[in-house]
Amino acid sequence: MNIIQKIIKSHLLEGEMEAGKTVGIKIDQTLTQDATGTMAYLEFEAMNVTEIKTELSVSYVDHNTSQMGFENADDHKYLQTIAEKFGIRYSRAGNGICHQVHLERFGLPGKTLLGSDSHTPTGGGIGMMAIGAGGLDVACALAGLPFYITFPKVLKVNLTGKLNPWVTAKDVILYLLELLSTKGNVGWMVEFGGDGVQTLSVPERATITNMGAELGVTTSIFPSDEITLSFLKAQNREDGWTELKADENAKYDRILDINLGTLEPRFATPHSPGNVCLVKELVGTKVDQVCIGSCTNSSYKDLMTVAKMVKGKKLLEDVSFVVAPGSKQVFKMIADNGALSDLIEFGARIMESACGFCIGNGQAPATNAVSIRTNNRNFKGRSGTVSANVYLASPETAAACAIKGVITDPRYLDMKYPPEIKMPDKFLIDDSMVFFNKNKDVKIYRGPNIGAPPKGEKLPENLKGEIVLKVENKITTDHIMPAGIRLKYRSNIPKYSEFVFEPVDPTFPDRCLKNKEKNRANFIVAGLSYGQGSSREHAAICPAYLGVKAVIAKSIERIHWANLINFGIIPMIFENLDDYDKIEQSDELVFEKIYNAVKKDVVFVVENLTKKIDFTVKLNLSKRERKILLAGGLLNFIRNKSLE
Ligand code: MIC
Ligand code: SF4
């Protein structure tokens, strides 16, 4: 067996281990972050379960930390009290980005982790099967229910050789994105192997698995070896180490060979992590802003490298340079050893250990600016500035650009070799910002911005209504439910719903509500890879609140697919992709006997009253998904079952 099959086998609760079949696996650990966590815990409360059933669960506060108004701080208090009630660890604001802290302090090889954040696969760097999901799925895992996935096809990425100076782990994953793109990889998991693995430290491996999320695969994983053990030792956690490797004759569905020695520094260019090119192709372009940080590249090694590169230099007048250390551990270590001082002297603007600029929470670039960032997503407008051009790169490339003020390949800097940063024998360990106090009688704090999740309605016999929006390929959940300045409404569904599709068509919510008042259904038509990116279930909850009943697309990404079903929206795939061109926004559609079709059919004929044509859609649904849709969503479905 390969590593992925071994972990699934040891966690299998339901189903058969055959490609394409649904399996239910046991979840050992969960993580949430504040922007998805409030809803996840509200949903958990709605299940009326008295105890959490996981081995370890952590609630992180890292996304909404700007506190412009009372909403964020109220959410933090809710999260703190609900964590106390159930014995969930609470990592307070300032302690760092969930994925970085989880890797440092909690992740363990061979375990399963479900997180309400799409970059949860960062844990694959330490040999975990770490999967991103919507908040409701995480709430179910807390309640001890299995997590359902399609038994995956496994891609082995066979790494050989060694990275050349100035070429980094980020360039490995950017190369993979160049090869595999951000679409068409649903149902796959990636397993890394080969001699090249030994040349990569745990944080480097985690950079690669983190951005595996951009491929759209379910997760990515590295073996657990001596390097994993020494990382855990340096974190005082060697007791949790187990070896994890594929059998000699392990089988894979596809094998891809990458010789690390042949790679060069790369960029993801605007506006998709899949638009990859070599840095050397763009040298000389003026740079306005450089941001170092995010869960992809804010480890001790990343920040030390940048600090050493800029030491003794001064930032140019027309460049802004932002640094956000990934965790308190990293922040304190660079403060203690003087590297922070080198960054400040250079001209860095030091931010707290949080997501910050990555989620558009501050540091929006100027109009038409070029911003070089070390994070993982550069969707149009995500930075907070629609006209900005965001390039994603390694910390080495980003620092080179900051030093020169123009796009610079780090190999052509005056420094011949990159600074040599040794992995510490001991990291600085201080978990005092993680609270773990169980008190089931604690009073849960609920500020005025916190509301219960909306109730789903049972699927009706027939549906009739309008295509309220037709969109192109690669619509991300950032397009559907913007973050940035709207992030503070994550716990308030009626308010947040006012901003659905704001970057695409701000009149969308009004049109939906008008139909809803007249008891007419709303439908969305989309191209390929609908719902890429963030796991935010709000991209399903808020449209459901506005009366959206179905999404008809050429293809839909995994997490968003599950979120649509969880909130009672039927995901449908065009049987004939050309039909996408034959229908238009505002067309009237009829779904006759849809209830029966969802119950059992594989294909379904939709009537277009406006165009007087029919077209066929596929209902690629598992038995469980059908039952959830009929019930009007997962909360309704499990309310009918006893969980205790
Ligand atoms: C992201 O990187 O897009 C986020 C913000 O971390 C999201 C979660 C969210 O929208 O709250 C994710 O990746 O799932
Ligand atoms: Fe936070 Fe950005 Fe990582 Fe999402 S991708 S968890 S916003 S740092």
Side-chain angles (χ1 to χ4, degrees):
M1 282 194 285
N2 57 47
I3 296 175
I4 287 170
Q5 291 164 344
K6 287 184 186 187
I7 300 185
I8 295 183
K9 185 165 184 227
S10 61
H11 289 78
L12 192 69
L13 295 176
E14 276 177 40
E16 284 163 58
M17 293 180 49
E18 257 177 58
K21 296 230 163 131
T22 303
V23 287
I25 56 169
K26 176 180 177 295
I27 296 298
D28 302 319
Q29 301 188 351
T30 60
L31 73 76
T32 54
Q33 40 88 342
D34 53 299
T36 54
T38 48
M39 207 33 75
Y41 295 114
L42 288 162
E43 289 154 353
F44 182 66
E45 283 188 278
M47 292 177 194
N48 289 326
V49 179
T50 49
E51 294 284 338
I52 62 162
K53 305 278 165 53
T54 45
E55 291 171 12
L56 173 129
S57 288
V58 192
S59 169
Y60 292 92
V61 176
D62 54 0
H63 280 63
N64 276 316
T65 54
S66 58
Q67 295 172 220
M68 308 285 286
F70 64 91
E71 293 89 346
N72 301 166
D74 277 5
D75 282 359
H76 303 169
K77 283 180 80 172
Y78 167 73
L79 290 169
Q80 186 173 348
T81 47
I82 198 90
E84 196 169 327
K85 183 174 167 94
F86 290 104
I88 294 164
R89 285 168 174 78
Y90 175 74
S91 172
R92 73 185 303 175
N95 195 45
I97 305 173
C98 53
H99 309 303
Q100 175 67 26
V101 178
H102 208 83
L103 193 75
E104 291 168 356
R105 306 301 306 141
F106 300 111
L108 289 174
K111 297 278 183 193
T112 52
L113 167 69
L114 194 71
S116 60
D117 191 283
S118 64
H119 291 105
T120 304
T122 312
I126 206 167
M128 295 195 97
M129 178 169 285
I131 303 178
L136 185 48
D137 283 328
V138 175
C140 288
L142 276 167
L145 295 173
F147 177 64
Y148 296 90
I149 46 168
T150 307
F151 187 74
K153 286 179 273 183
V154 182
L155 164 68
K156 178 177 182 185
V157 177
N158 192 38
L159 300 175
T160 53
K162 190 173 179 306
L163 292 166
N164 284 318
W166 299 111
V167 186
T168 69
K170 184 66 154 276
D171 302 307
V172 177
I173 186 63
L174 288 175
Y175 178 58
L176 265 175
L177 277 155
E178 183 178 320
L179 293 180
L180 302 173
S181 90
T182 59
K183 57 180 181 0
N185 303 314
V186 174
W188 286 83
M189 290 195 190
V190 181
E191 181 173 315
F192 290 87
D195 295 348
V197 164
Q198 291 153 23
T199 66
L200 299 169
S201 65
V202 166
E204 288 174 305
R205 296 174 184 185
T207 294
I208 296 174
T209 55
N210 170 284
M211 226 178 147
E214 274 47 73
L215 294 167
V217 296
T218 309
T219 192
S220 313
I221 192 166
F222 273 84
S224 166
D225 54 12
E226 288 297 315
I227 290 170
T228 323
L229 176 60
S230 52
F231 178 81
L232 281 167
K233 260 191 195 145
Q235 294 283 359
N236 257 355
R237 303 202 293 119
E238 61 268 37
D239 288 355
W241 183 77
T242 43
E243 191 182 26
L244 203 60
K245 61 176 183 191
D247 294 335
E248 286 284 311
N249 54 354
K251 292 216 167 49
Y252 295 91
D253 297 282
R254 184 178 170 193
I255 298 179
L256 197 68
D257 291 303
I258 299 183
N259 179 347
L260 295 172
T262 61
L263 299 184
E264 295 185 72
R266 280 177 158 75
F267 268 137
T269 64
H271 298 284
S272 167
N275 294 344
V276 178
C277 78
L278 295 176
V279 171
K280 69 180 185 199
E281 290 169 35
L282 296 172
V283 287
T285 307
K286 166 90 185 69
V287 167
D288 303 285
Q289 185 191 49
V290 174
C291 301
I292 311 280
S294 93
C295 58
T296 324
N297 276 120
S298 58
S299 68
Y300 173 78
K301 178 168 180 284
D302 288 336
L303 267 70
M304 285 302 295
T305 306
V306 173
K308 287 241 154 73
M309 283 174 72
V310 302
K311 187 179 164 88
K313 303 186 173 68
K314 287 288 178 210
L315 183 62
L316 298 165
E317 274 179 28
D318 50 0
V319 184
S320 172
F321 184 60
V322 171
V323 178
S327 68
K328 181 189 156 210
Q329 180 178 83
V330 172
F331 211 160
K332 179 83 167 60
M333 285 176 74
I334 63 168
D336 289 352
N337 70 13
L340 180 62
S341 168
D342 296 333
L343 289 166
I344 296 171
E345 243 183 84
F346 173 65
R349 301 168 62 182
I350 309 294
M351 303 290 141
E352 74 174 314
S353 293
C355 300
F357 66 83
C358 175
I359 183 65
N361 221 336
Q363 308 309 312
T367 307
N368 299 327
V370 168
S371 178
I372 313 292
R373 299 176 166 213
T374 64
N375 56 298
N376 45 34
R377 288 185 176 146
N378 58 346
F379 308 141
K380 198 174 177 66
R382 179 173 159 111
S383 64
T385 306
V386 178
S387 66
N389 286 312
V390 177
Y391 294 75
L392 308 175
S394 68
E396 285 79 346
T397 299
C401 298
I403 294 166
K404 294 290 185 193
V406 290
I407 286 184
T408 304
D409 186 324
R411 294 173 299 181
Y412 308 141
L413 284 174
D414 303 337
M415 298 173 73
K416 201 158 181 326
Y417 290 102
E420 220 179 289
I421 312 295
K422 210 179 136 308
M423 283 292 280
D425 295 330
K426 270 279 166 270
F427 286 95
L428 188 140
I429 292 152
D430 170 8
D431 292 328
S432 57
M433 287 173 85
V434 182
F435 306 153
F436 186 35
N437 312 311
K438 188 168 176 189
N439 170 12
K440 64 180 182 13
D441 300 321
V442 69
K443 188 169 174 340
I444 309 291
Y445 177 87
R446 291 174 214 274
N449 189 45
I450 295 180
K455 287 207 170 55
E457 293 156 18
K458 198 171 163 253
L459 187 67
E461 291 296 322
N462 307 307
L463 283 173
K464 188 172 174 190
E466 177 192 344
I467 300 177
V468 269
L469 191 69
K470 182 176 173 186
V471 286
E472 305 281 308
N473 291 344
K474 297 216 279 192
I475 286 294
T476 71
T477 44
D478 275 63
H479 291 108
I480 307 171
M481 237 13 295
I485 53 169
R486 307 299 183 204
L487 202 52
K488 65 181 184 181
Y489 299 124
R490 283 285 174 95
S491 319
N492 182 342
I493 299 302
K495 182 72 192 164
Y496 201 29
S497 298
E498 290 173 20
F499 308 106
V500 179
F501 277 113
E502 191 186 29
V504 177
D505 177 354
T507 62
F508 175 86
D510 273 355
R511 289 204 303 279
C512 287
L513 286 175
K514 280 194 188 121
N515 282 333
K516 197 180 166 191
E517 272 162 28
K518 293 184 211 145
N519 247 331
R520 277 153 48 83
N522 295 309
F523 308 115
I524 294 169
V525 169
L528 287 167
S529 195
Y530 182 73
Q532 285 194 349
S534 157
S535 67
R536 59 192 74 156
E537 61 186 355
H538 300 76
I541 306 179
C542 295
Y545 176 82
L546 296 175
V548 173
K549 299 290 180 196
V551 171
I552 312 165
K554 291 187 183 174
S555 70
I556 301 178
E557 292 297 310
R558 175 188 65 90
I559 304 180
H560 190 57
W561 173 281
N563 286 337
L564 289 173
I565 291 172
N566 285 352
F567 294 94
I569 299 178
I570 314 167
M572 300 179 171
I573 304 298
F574 286 105
E575 192 177 43
N576 175 359
L577 297 192
D578 296 340
D579 282 339
Y580 170 88
D581 299 314
K582 297 186 189 145
I583 58 181
E584 279 172 296
Q585 193 162 312
S586 306
D587 283 0
E588 283 280 318
L589 303 184
V590 180
F591 296 70
E592 197 79 49
K593 301 215 173 75
I594 185 70
Y595 187 92
N596 283 340
V598 167
K599 215 168 175 177
K600 54 179 195 329
D601 291 348
V602 180
V603 291
F604 178 73
V605 178
V606 186
E607 209 185 322
N608 185 332
L609 291 185
T610 314
K611 298 272 177 329
K612 304 203 175 14
I613 52 169
D614 290 347
F615 63 96
T616 312
V617 293
K618 291 189 278 187
L619 297 172
N620 287 338
L621 301 162
S622 70
K623 263 195 207 144
R624 179 176 168 272
E625 290 173 331
R626 289 176 191 272
K627 286 188 192 155
I628 296 173
L629 283 170
L630 296 177
L634 183 55
L635 269 181
N636 287 2
F637 175 69
I638 51 185
R639 268 194 203 111
N640 304 337
K641 292 182 166 190
S642 170
L643 294 174
E644 294 288 341

